[in-house]
Amino acid sequence: MTTALITGATSGIGAAFARRLAHDGHNLVLVARDEKRLHRQATELHDLHGIEASVLSADLATEEGIATVEERLGDRKHPVDLLVNNAGFGNKGEYLDVPMDDELAMLKVHCEAVLRLTTAAVRGMRERRRGGVVNVASVAAFVPRGTYGASKAWVVQFTQGAARDLADSGVRLMALCPGFVRTEFHQRAGMGTDNIPGWMWLDADKLVDAAMKDLARGRSLSIPDPRYKALMGAAKLAPRGMLGGLTSRTGRKFGPK
Ligand SMILES: NC(=O)c1ccc[n+]([C@@H]2O[C@H](COP(=O)([O-])OP(=O)(O)OC[C@H]3O[C@@H](n4cnc5c(N)ncnc54)[C@H](OP(=O)(O)O)[C@@H]3O)[C@@H](O)[C@H]2O)c1
């Protein structure tokens, strides 16, 4: 049986990965801060699918939290075959209104944790000549979107570069770029969602199904859903100045996360 480790597993996209991977028969290591919620989820997935689910309570905005998960990923006796770096959050407001500590915490969770956990996982995977890493970015990586978009752009560039370095090693790396997904994300950040058209919302379980297909195909970038593929194609052609104007008016509060 293989083992998958998912960060931010308790809610939204991470919980959808946990459901899907448990259904497929993988043992799980579930990572987030809320320990009670982690244990409840582990019990549910074990009872439903008969898999082993262990929990690791860690705050990935801290050195200690990152080191705890790094250590688990480096445990050669209990190898992790699939890592999903999914934990993340948004900060409400325009760049200068967000407290610096919140921006730095975002960079720690979205960039430093992703770099260190990917590295810890991939070393063993390369030796075993098999394994996968899914790093959850966002379509916000492709438009000028303050620290959030910049951190997700880093996730895409880092992941695609590492995928190229590790081509032919048996290890697959993929950046996953969702559009709007119905999760706890916007509510946690205190962001309004009333003006986001219904057609723009994606379902987390369908998103994960599409991502797993793309990973199996060996893609290093996954933009699930044809509507977002088309939107991102159009964004590539639009002048950057125009996109910047659009996203600074609507995107900071309501644009794709
Ligand atoms: N929802 C969207 O529209 C959307 C779109 C594109 C990309 N994304 C990305 O998708 C990922 C998942 O977001 P989501 O929408 O599923 O949000 P969500 O429902 O709010 O879930 C976030 C998860 O991350 C965990 N988490 C947050 N901060 C953490 C920290 N410091 N340390 C450890 N775990 C932490 C949370 O658990 P605890 O609170 O218990 O720690 C929770 O399990 C994020 O990277 C986000 O940027 C979301």
Side-chain angles (χ1 to χ4, degrees):
M1 235 179 179
T2 54
T3 298
L5 185 149
I6 306 162
T7 70
T10 45
S11 140
I13 296 169
F17 267 106
R19 284 192 292 277
R20 164 66 195 261
L21 293 168
H23 175 268
D24 290 353
H26 299 276
N27 289 330
L28 298 177
V29 183
L30 307 168
V31 180
R33 290 166 301 183
D34 185 337
E35 200 165 352
K36 264 194 198 155
R37 202 172 174 188
L38 282 168
H39 280 293
R40 212 168 41 235
Q41 187 191 25
T43 305
E44 270 170 30
L45 292 170
H46 167 76
D47 291 352
L48 252 177
H49 301 289
I51 53 118
E52 305 231 334
S54 58
V55 311
L56 210 51
S57 163
D59 181 349
L60 295 173
T62 67
E63 171 57 34
E64 193 194 354
I66 297 176
T68 301
V69 187
E70 266 181 325
E71 197 181 318
R72 174 62 189 85
L73 287 165
D75 180 351
R76 305 282 160 115
K77 285 193 190 139
H78 303 97
V80 168
D81 306 283
L82 178 66
L83 165 65
V84 182
N85 275 313
N86 161 79
F89 61 95
N91 287 327
K92 185 182 175 184
E94 299 197 355
Y95 146 63
L96 274 181
D97 300 333
V98 180
M100 185 55 74
D101 282 352
D102 294 355
E103 297 283 69
L104 290 171
M106 176 176 282
L107 291 178
K108 190 118 184 157
V109 176
H110 290 184
C111 302
E112 184 178 336
V114 169
L115 170 66
R116 288 174 56 181
L117 301 189
T118 299
T119 306
V122 152
R123 288 195 198 287
M125 288 176 184
R126 189 173 58 174
E127 282 169 21
R128 296 189 292 279
R129 296 202 60 78
R130 71 186 176 101
V133 178
V134 176
N135 288 333
V136 180
S138 166
V139 293
F142 306 112
V143 291
R145 289 289 323 264
T147 303
Y148 183 85
S151 69
K152 295 301 188 179
W154 179 86
V155 174
V156 171
Q157 292 293 322
F158 163 68
T159 306
Q160 291 203 282
R164 180 180 285 206
D165 287 352
L166 286 158
D168 305 324
S169 70
V171 184
R172 288 181 179 177
L173 290 98
M174 184 181 83
L176 170 62
C177 294
F180 289 115
V181 191
R182 291 201 192 279
T183 67
E184 295 176 12
F185 182 99
H186 299 89
Q187 192 192 348
R188 282 175 188 245
M191 293 171 182
T193 55
D194 289 350
N195 68 343
I196 300 168
W199 65 265
M200 291 194 93
W201 288 103
L202 303 175
D203 171 78
D205 291 299
K206 287 186 186 152
L207 174 94
V208 168
D209 285 347
M212 292 306 292
K213 274 193 193 129
D214 281 344
L215 185 68
R217 288 184 189 121
R219 302 245 162 99
S220 66
L221 179 70
S222 171
I223 304 177
D225 196 274
R227 290 164 292 186
Y228 278 99
K229 279 195 183 79
L231 270 179
M232 290 308 106
K236 261 193 215 155
L237 299 175
R240 246 180 127 64
M242 186 183 111
L243 280 174
L246 273 175
T247 54
S248 68
R249 276 200 303 280
T250 59
R252 284 298 298 168
K253 287 182 185 106
F254 303 115
K257 286 295 136 209

